[in-house]
Amino acid sequence: MNYKKETIVNELNGESYVKVKHPSGLTILIWKKEGFTTTEALFSAKYGSVNNRFKRKDDADFVEVPEGIAHFLEHKLFENEDCDVFELYAKTGAMGNAYTSFEETTYLFSCSENYAESLRILLSFVQKPYFTEQSVAKEQGIIGQEIKMGLDNPDRKSFFNLLNCLYVNHPVKIDIAGTAESIAEITPELLYKCYNAFYNLHNMCLAIAGNLDVDEVLKICDEELIPAVDYQLDASVIDEPQRVAQSESVEKFPVGLPLFNIGYKCKPYEGYELMKKEHTASILLQLVAGNTSKLYNDLIDEGLINSTFDFEVFWGTGHFNIILSGESPEPATVRRRIDEEIERLKTTGLDRSEFEVVKKSKYGSIIKSYDSIDTCASYLLNSHFAGVDVFDLQKVLAEVTFEDVQNGLYEFFNKDMSAISIIEPISQNKEGECNA
Amino acid sequence: MKVDYEKTQIAEGVSLDVINDSKFSTNFASVRFVMPFRREDASAISFVPSILTTLCERYPTKIELNRKLLSLYNTTLGLGRSIVGDNYVVTMYVNCISDKNAYDGERVTEEAVSILIDCILNPKVTDGKFDQKEFDIIKLDLLSTIESEINNKRDYAQMLANEIIYVDEPSATKYYGTRETAEALTNEQVYECYKNMLSTADIEITIGGSELDNAKKLLCDAFSKLPRKSNNIVYYSGSKLKKETAVRNVKSDVQQTRLIMAYKGGTENVYVDKLFSAMFGATPTSRLFMNVREKLQLCYSCSANLAEYKKTLMVTAGIDENNCEKAAEEIGRQLKSIADGDFTDDELFQTKLMITGAFRANYDGIYELCMWYNVQNRRGTCYTPDEVIDIFNSVTREQIIECAKSYKLDTVFTLTPQNQPKGPEQ
């Protein structure tokens, strides 16, 4: 087949990967890692738990589907008409798996031999859905247990309670697996409806990294991919107002110490700007609350946080958030102290030399991550869906200035756009006895 | 595939493993202290690496130490604690970028390793005590960890189950001890424990990556001069099978029941045990996955894991309480089925294929390679992954059958939701 192969080179170390827009509609990203033994392949649809409402150009209206259906579909695709997909991988020695996130459903394998055969299996089964009443009913039981397992996880509960505080409409606040009630509404017809909308090669990406031959990968793609018509899917999430739904959530749970998630809802970004804002926010978080910061060390010294304290920049289509989490005897005090520290830093300004140190550390983290084949494959996939190239990562980092980070104090930490989720302990008398 | 691996004894009870591999962007160095485990020392031992990796004489505050690590291209200074067989293992390590990737020509590995050595051998100590302020903070953190052990239901269930499975053995105890021993800890006691650890524990040093000569010399110089005596560590200590299967139920505020079944037995060949446990319950086509989850649809997760040094096979599942009995029966049935030889050559071959693929993946990470040789040392061998693959591939169906027959049910433990009484209570 004739198509253009674009080579993207890392100026830092000379590594490169190949990018192809295949005639079938699929974007293919291939990163050969010299000297490595394993291969990791990710075949992914831009379809996650947030996509509960969509419209193809040939649909009259938007279709609304039950919560958790993307995750359900991921489970069901592992079973084709003849057998379980795991049985196919067993013959090649590959470890197959899949996951559903807020915005993607990804099928993957890793192996250290027979990658070509495993790639054929991957490309083939994802393009061949097979859903029946019986198989849907079976999966409702298994996923029901997965949902129950999640209900016993206080960190997950605290995180989703925070998202429900921060977001009024955005479906990121919905649990990826859905609920026992929502998955009970799922039928084979609905699964096919979702599959035909989202599992279109124009809406998908193959990312493969490690021990491989670029031409062989492309030859397999030529043979296995079924050309798709681009139905110009509209899966835009509904509008989100610039306010939080509520400032606080408190729930009781069987935990030792209170847990907290404190979030700041920010303006969402896209593409290259998103990547730059993520780096900027991440550097700022390290300066404000990292283990060399005044705030972190004061809170630790006063016993207000412990070693579980952590922070992240959490983003996706239509949302961008700063989240700080951990355990504390006084979560509300931690929240107040963070806000006070932000105000103090707005007055005193950040430390420029500290900024340079953190920036250097971020560079080190990027270098370290290139040693991992699965991280490289994930970088390929995530950068494609974010609309950038992998090696933009370090380019963007170099571009972040002290002033960008300083401005972030105003841009990312708006007190009026923040919320806290607290999980308080249920008092326990002794093992086996609980009082709510 | 050949590995550039070298093991030397640099002093009594002190070994040094060096793995040279230039394909990685990162280097790794660790120092492990291995000592016989005594329950009463658990809290104090677990405390030692926490305080050593917080500050040292050269970087006398945690801010200074953390800033130095950040400036060294985000070098990670980490710690680990585990109970291996009947031994307590304390690990401290650094993970840094290799020198060729430093844009300012800094000798990152040498500096990272010197920090590791300083933290271990030159801690901030005054009048026979560690820094009191940091001691108090770490003690509070330890107590928080104990307080929060109920947060993760899977780990919590395993912890409670271990008390029954390994009753009267060190593995019944958590690595950080109990609330009582943690609360009673004193700074002097922890310092004494540290001094003992330095002089009596076996020390296993590992360094891997590229351009290691200077760092290797630093490690040799620092650890070859310590006054030492060896412990003659024995890693394998099979747990004794109970005369009668222990059945225990604990109620807790959970939504889902955790079922844990411990089998004891095993063979003299660890690779036979590993292959059997994979076929039984450690792959997506294992007996437990295909039958308990896929065929009977009893749960989302059901798997088997080999506790190698205790010769114990642990089966765990998250399940509806009503299905517990049915799942336990099916788990037992699948074990018997393998013991009866009711499996095909294809099933055995495919399990080998999957597991050997995972072994080969150890070539792709410097940390993984370092850990690989650490485990090989514990087994008294120094096979490469390829050599182990050859051994794995030579395992016969008869050996698998014998292995399955050797495992006997020792303990059935359930953590069940409140208000649904079932089974004997603790």
Side-chain angles (χ1 to χ4, degrees):
Chain A
M1 275 188 198
N2 270 337
Y3 38 78
K4 194 178 145 205
K5 282 193 277 185
E6 188 186 353
T7 302
I8 291 118
V9 181
N10 186 354
E11 289 166 9
L12 201 71
N13 58 12
E15 280 199 80
S16 65
Y17 67 90
V18 170
K19 182 177 185 176
V20 166
K21 180 69 184 172
H22 194 264
S24 61
L26 186 69
T27 298
I28 303 166
L29 304 163
I30 311 165
W31 188 345
K32 181 175 172 58
K33 296 280 290 178
E34 292 295 343
F36 283 79
T37 308
T38 51
T39 311
E40 171 110 358
L42 311 174
F43 192 19
S44 185
K46 190 162 172 52
Y47 174 42
S49 62
V50 301
N51 303 117
N52 290 328
R53 182 176 173 275
F54 57 88
K55 181 179 175 301
R56 283 185 5 174
K57 74 172 179 192
D58 55 344
D59 285 327
D61 287 310
F62 274 91
V63 180
E64 301 225 5
V65 289
E67 294 171 4
I69 195 166
H71 173 253
F72 200 101
L73 181 45
E74 172 229 303
H75 272 239
K76 280 328 307 162
L77 215 53
F78 258 90
E79 220 171 289
N80 66 23
E81 194 166 356
D82 313 311
C83 68
D84 193 290
V85 170
F86 288 125
E87 292 174 43
L88 299 175
Y89 279 134
K91 291 174 183 155
T92 67
M95 283 291 198
N97 209 340
Y99 63 85
T100 306
S101 65
F102 291 104
E103 310 215 21
E104 292 153 23
T105 307
T106 300
Y107 302 84
L108 61 121
F109 71 80
S110 64
C111 65
S112 55
E113 55 186 352
N114 305 322
Y115 87 87
E117 289 168 60
S118 299
L119 182 58
R120 284 188 194 281
I121 292 169
L122 176 68
L123 296 178
S124 169
F125 87 82
V126 174
Q127 292 183 95
K128 282 184 198 155
Y130 179 70
F131 314 127
T132 64
E133 295 283 353
Q134 195 185 18
S135 72
V136 167
K138 170 197 146 189
E139 212 63 31
Q140 278 161 343
I142 292 173
I143 295 178
Q145 285 302 319
E146 189 179 358
I147 290 169
K148 262 195 168 179
M149 191 170 78
L151 294 177
D152 277 333
N153 184 336
D155 294 309
R156 188 183 177 98
K157 188 70 189 159
S158 178
F159 180 71
F160 276 100
N161 283 357
L162 174 71
L163 294 180
N164 274 278
C165 286
L166 293 175
Y167 287 91
V168 179
N169 298 325
H170 199 295
V172 71
K173 65 183 183 175
I174 299 165
D175 195 308
I176 290 167
T179 62
E181 293 74 29
S182 72
I183 64 165
E185 294 170 28
I186 293 171
T187 62
E189 292 72 30
L190 280 174
L191 290 174
Y192 278 116
K193 184 87 188 164
C194 293
Y195 180 88
N196 291 328
F198 290 97
Y199 284 69
N200 179 297
L201 294 181
H202 292 271
N203 191 49
M204 298 178 76
C205 176
L206 171 70
I208 181 165
N211 180 17
L212 52 83
D213 179 273
V214 173
D215 290 331
E216 186 176 31
V217 169
L218 290 173
K219 183 172 176 285
I220 292 166
C221 288
D222 292 346
E223 290 166 6
E224 297 291 337
L225 294 173
I226 304 163
V229 175
D230 186 0
Y231 286 108
Q232 291 162 25
L233 185 68
D234 182 353
S236 51
V237 293
I238 48 180
D239 289 343
E240 175 65 25
Q242 278 300 300
R243 63 180 170 84
V244 296
Q246 63 192 78
S247 170
E248 184 177 296
S249 154
V250 181
E251 191 168 335
K252 289 195 182 293
F253 217 82
V255 292
L257 284 172
L259 308 182
F260 67 87
N261 269 262
I262 297 166
Y264 294 82
K265 179 177 176 179
C266 313
K267 183 185 149 196
Y269 304 96
E270 287 179 3
Y272 196 85
E273 188 188 16
L274 166 65
M275 197 181 262
K276 188 165 178 186
K277 293 293 180 186
E278 187 195 4
H279 272 303
T280 307
S282 166
I283 292 171
L284 178 59
L285 268 168
Q286 180 66 37
L287 292 171
V288 170
N291 59 10
T292 55
S293 70
K294 180 181 183 309
L295 176 68
Y296 174 85
N297 285 284
D298 286 351
L299 294 177
I300 280 275
D301 290 353
E302 293 168 40
L304 284 168
I305 56 172
N306 58 27
S307 56
T308 61
F309 182 75
D310 205 359
F311 47 76
E312 64 171 315
V313 184
F314 171 65
W315 57 266
T317 305
H319 68 92
F320 188 96
N321 315 274
I322 304 288
I323 296 178
L324 304 100
S325 60
E327 293 175 353
S328 172
E330 298 174 41
T333 308
V334 174
R335 182 187 193 184
R336 178 175 56 76
R337 294 285 291 276
I338 293 169
D339 286 333
E340 285 171 1
E341 180 65 359
I342 296 299
E343 290 310 311
R344 187 186 73 83
L345 289 170
K346 282 177 183 171
T347 311
T348 63
L350 298 166
D351 182 330
R352 191 179 285 269
S353 65
E354 198 78 359
F355 162 76
E356 294 299 341
V357 167
V358 173
K359 205 168 156 179
K360 190 177 174 189
S361 79
K362 295 285 176 196
Y363 169 84
S365 300
I366 293 172
I367 293 293
K368 282 183 188 176
S369 66
Y370 289 153
D371 266 358
S372 158
I373 297 294
D374 55 347
T375 303
C376 289
S378 296
Y379 276 165
L380 289 173
L381 190 70
N382 296 339
S383 60
H384 168 70
F385 284 138
V388 294
D389 288 326
V390 173
F391 304 131
D392 286 342
L393 207 64
Q394 64 227 31
K395 198 169 134 198
V396 168
L397 177 64
E399 286 173 9
V400 175
T401 65
F402 179 67
E403 286 68 32
D404 290 335
V405 177
Q406 187 106 289
N407 290 337
L409 286 168
Y410 298 89
E411 193 174 353
F412 303 129
F413 285 96
N414 181 347
K415 197 174 159 185
D416 296 333
M417 296 287 280
S418 73
I420 184 168
S421 154
I422 301 171
I423 299 290
E424 288 182 343
I426 295 169
S427 60
Q428 303 232 344
N429 292 338
K430 59 178 183 180
E431 206 167 75
E433 283 184 29
C434 296
N435 295 324
Chain B
M1 190 181 283
K2 198 171 174 300
V3 181
D4 183 351
Y5 166 75
E6 183 188 55
K7 181 182 175 68
T8 46
Q9 203 71 29
I10 61 170
E12 187 184 351
V14 187
S15 64
L16 173 67
D17 284 14
V18 182
I19 299 162
N20 281 294
D21 195 328
S22 60
K23 76 168 176 278
F24 301 112
S25 306
T26 48
N27 289 345
F28 176 83
S30 68
V31 180
R32 274 183 303 278
F33 294 87
V34 188
M35 59 214 111
F37 181 46
R38 297 192 318 153
R39 282 177 192 223
E40 56 273 28
D41 292 340
S43 294
I45 299 173
S46 80
F47 209 101
V48 171
S50 297
I51 196 134
L52 293 183
T53 53
T54 299
L55 71 181
C56 62
E57 207 170 87
R58 180 152 61 120
Y59 300 103
T61 67
K62 56 180 181 274
I63 295 185
E64 287 170 277
L65 178 58
N66 288 328
R67 187 178 289 130
K68 177 64 191 175
L69 293 167
L70 275 182
S71 72
L72 213 52
Y73 296 90
N74 201 22
T75 291
T76 307
L77 171 65
L79 63 92
R81 316 168 187 95
S82 54
I83 296 169
V84 182
D86 286 347
N87 305 296
Y88 201 116
V89 180
V90 165
T91 309
M92 284 162 278
Y93 63 89
V94 284
N95 167 248
C96 60
I97 65 167
S98 49
D99 294 2
K100 65 189 174 208
N101 288 297
Y103 55 68
D104 54 4
E106 203 165 354
R107 292 156 87 168
V108 182
T109 310
E110 203 177 320
E111 188 58 25
V113 165
S114 80
I115 291 172
L116 178 66
I117 293 168
D118 267 340
C119 284
I120 295 171
L121 299 181
N122 302 307
K124 188 184 172 194
V125 174
T126 316
D127 299 331
K129 291 200 300 188
F130 290 110
D131 184 276
Q132 189 61 44
K133 182 180 150 197
E134 290 308 324
F135 175 86
D136 292 340
I137 290 168
I138 294 168
K139 185 169 173 179
L140 191 64
D141 202 65
L142 174 60
L143 290 168
S144 300
T145 303
I146 293 170
E147 189 87 24
S148 300
E149 58 195 16
I150 62 165
N151 291 15
N152 183 322
K153 307 303 175 206
R154 183 190 294 231
D155 292 352
Y156 181 57
Q158 188 65 60
M159 185 188 82
L160 295 177
N162 284 350
E163 290 172 5
I164 301 153
I165 297 165
Y166 301 125
V167 66
D168 295 332
E169 297 173 45
S171 293
T173 308
K174 290 158 295 214
Y175 72 85
Y176 46 74
T178 63
R179 174 190 299 280
E180 291 70 31
T181 55
E183 272 174 350
L185 271 185
T186 64
N187 197 332
E188 291 82 352
Q189 189 186 347
V190 174
Y191 184 68
E192 191 55 35
C193 182
Y194 159 71
K195 296 299 281 183
N196 274 340
M197 188 177 94
L198 273 191
S199 59
T200 66
D202 277 15
I203 302 177
E204 300 170 350
I205 305 168
T206 305
I207 183 163
S210 55
E211 299 174 87
L212 303 175
D213 288 350
N214 292 341
K216 179 183 155 187
K217 185 172 183 314
L218 285 176
L219 286 164
C220 276
D221 290 349
F223 287 96
S224 60
K225 292 168 193 154
L226 290 175
R228 313 260 327 127
K229 59 176 181 183
S230 178
N231 269 309
N232 295 321
I233 293 293
V234 176
Y235 280 105
Y236 286 86
S237 172
S239 184
K240 199 175 166 198
L241 179 71
K242 293 178 185 64
K243 283 182 183 153
E244 276 184 35
T245 303
V247 180
R248 193 65 55 90
N249 167 254
V250 171
K251 292 194 196 71
S252 185
D253 197 347
V254 292
Q255 300 277 332
Q256 188 179 58
T257 291
R258 300 292 316 171
L259 167 67
I260 297 172
M261 296 170 72
Y263 293 87
K264 291 178 182 169
T267 69
E268 291 305 306
N269 184 338
V270 64
Y271 300 112
V272 173
D273 290 7
K274 279 187 166 290
L275 184 54
F276 158 71
S277 73
M279 196 166 106
F280 180 50
T283 75
T285 47
S286 69
R287 289 300 182 95
L288 298 186
F289 189 90
M290 295 308 276
N291 291 284
V292 184
R293 171 175 148 147
E294 290 295 303
K295 192 173 156 197
L296 298 178
Q297 303 148 39
L298 294 175
C299 58
Y300 170 66
S301 69
C302 182
S303 61
N305 178 43
L306 182 68
E308 179 182 336
Y309 305 101
K310 299 304 293 177
K311 311 287 268 178
T312 302
L313 184 71
M314 211 73 80
V315 177
T316 58
I319 206 160
D320 253 346
E321 194 185 8
N322 294 338
N323 287 327
C324 252
E325 215 170 292
K326 207 170 164 188
E329 276 171 19
E330 186 61 21
I331 291 163
R333 190 167 20 249
Q334 290 305 322
L335 178 61
K336 183 173 183 306
S337 155
I338 298 176
D340 289 345
D342 184 16
F343 58 90
T344 64
D345 287 343
D346 269 357
E347 190 179 350
L348 181 58
F349 172 74
Q350 287 170 6
T351 309
K352 285 178 180 176
L353 201 58
M354 206 169 283
I355 300 305
T356 54
F359 282 157
R360 214 174 277 113
N362 286 292
Y363 287 118
D364 279 1
I366 193 60
Y367 170 79
E368 286 77 6
L369 270 179
C370 290
M371 288 306 104
W372 173 271
Y373 281 101
N374 176 228
V375 172
Q376 284 299 313
N377 286 333
R378 288 176 187 172
R379 291 179 189 152
T381 53
C382 67
Y383 298 131
T384 64
D386 278 336
E387 286 166 339
V388 166
I389 287 168
D390 288 342
I391 296 170
F392 231 78
N393 284 333
S394 68
V395 174
T396 63
R397 60 179 290 118
E398 287 71 28
Q399 285 175 296
I400 294 296
I401 291 168
E402 283 314 304
C403 183
K405 279 181 183 167
S406 76
Y407 279 104
K408 309 292 179 205
L409 187 59
D410 178 86
T411 302
V412 179
F413 175 85
T414 47
L415 182 71
T416 54
Q418 297 274 8
N419 307 321
Q420 294 176 40
K422 187 164 188 174
E425 280 183 42
Q426 190 175 41

